[in-house]
């Protein structure tokens, strides 16, 4: 595959790569929330209705929504979304979105962003490192997510 020619697996730790892949799947999922309500706040709500939100077991309607393949928003996914939108520079943000959300070919992404193909891996690793460092700060409580 073309993706493996560009990205060396040893460059990005598996743990952060899995979290970024989950973030990409969460952004790719078609949901009625994003079609009906286009506000940012609607992306961060839980998949459960107000009647069963506080209860440990979801109601039948919520079970159907969850079973239809809609991925729930985990804390890591929400933190990555906030980090990418707030703390990552525009070029790295666009590259992360193209790579993990839209799964574009590296050649097309390089051409679109105006970077050399040889610098694709380095810039991707830099963006992933920014996300990983900010996630580390969130875990230690050094970064305030207000």
């Amino acid at each position: 595959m073309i993706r493996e020619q560009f990205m060396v697996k040893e460059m990005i730790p598996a743990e952060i790569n899995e979290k970024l892949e989950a973030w990409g799947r969460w952004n790719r999922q078609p949901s009625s929330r994003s079609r009906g309500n286009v506000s940012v706040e609607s992306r961060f709500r839980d998949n459960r209705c107000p009647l069963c939100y506080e209860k440990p077991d979801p109601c039948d309607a919520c079970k159907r929504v969850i079973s239809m393949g809609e991925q729930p928003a985990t804390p890591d996914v929400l933190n990555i979304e906030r980090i990418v939108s707030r703390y990552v520079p525009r070029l790295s943000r666009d590259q992360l979105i193209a790579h993990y959300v839209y799964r574009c070919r590296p050649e097309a992404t390089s051409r679109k962003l105006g970077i050399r193909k040889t610098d694709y891996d380095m810039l991707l690793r830099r963006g992933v490192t920014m996300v990983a460092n900010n996630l580390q700060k969130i875990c230690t409580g050094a970064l305030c997510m207000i």
Side-chain angles (χ1 to χ4, degrees):
M1 240 181 124
I2 295 172
R3 279 176 87 92
E4 277 74 30
Q5 289 176 352
F6 276 79
M7 193 173 90
V8 180
K9 293 292 183 185
E10 295 86 39
M11 291 171 37
I12 299 174
E15 180 183 348
I16 190 69
N17 193 31
E18 289 174 11
K19 290 178 182 180
L20 284 167
E21 289 287 344
W23 169 71
R25 280 192 305 274
W26 181 73
N27 276 313
R28 277 192 308 268
Q29 73 184 1
S31 82
S32 59
R33 290 187 311 234
S34 63
R35 280 186 237 119
N37 188 355
V38 294
S39 67
V40 175
E41 291 83 10
S42 67
R43 295 294 309 268
F44 295 106
R45 291 190 186 135
D46 197 4
N47 292 349
R48 306 202 27 209
C49 65
L51 299 175
C52 69
Y53 185 77
E54 297 290 330
K55 297 178 183 175
D57 293 326
C59 64
D60 292 335
C62 293
K63 284 181 185 175
R64 277 195 300 273
V65 169
I66 293 170
S67 69
M68 289 171 50
E70 192 170 317
Q71 182 178 353
T74 62
D76 282 335
V77 168
L78 295 178
N79 286 334
I80 290 173
E81 178 71 19
R82 292 178 186 127
I83 288 167
V84 169
S85 63
R86 291 182 186 179
Y87 300 109
V88 177
R90 185 172 179 85
L91 181 65
S92 296
R93 179 184 329 139
D94 291 345
Q95 187 181 23
L96 286 171
I97 290 170
H99 188 80
Y100 287 104
V101 178
Y102 296 117
R103 305 192 58 80
C104 296
R105 292 188 350 243
E107 296 94 355
T109 303
S110 300
R111 188 173 50 248
K112 190 80 167 173
L113 296 177
I115 58 176
R116 292 184 298 204
K117 292 178 188 177
T118 56
D119 294 339
Y120 184 86
D121 289 337
M122 181 197 60
L123 292 172
L124 182 65
R125 184 176 53 194
R126 184 183 298 167
V128 169
T129 303
M130 285 182 219
V131 171
N133 288 341
N134 283 319
L135 273 176
Q136 183 80 22
K137 288 178 184 176
I138 290 170
C139 291
T140 60
L143 185 65
C144 183
M145 296 298 285
I146 294 176

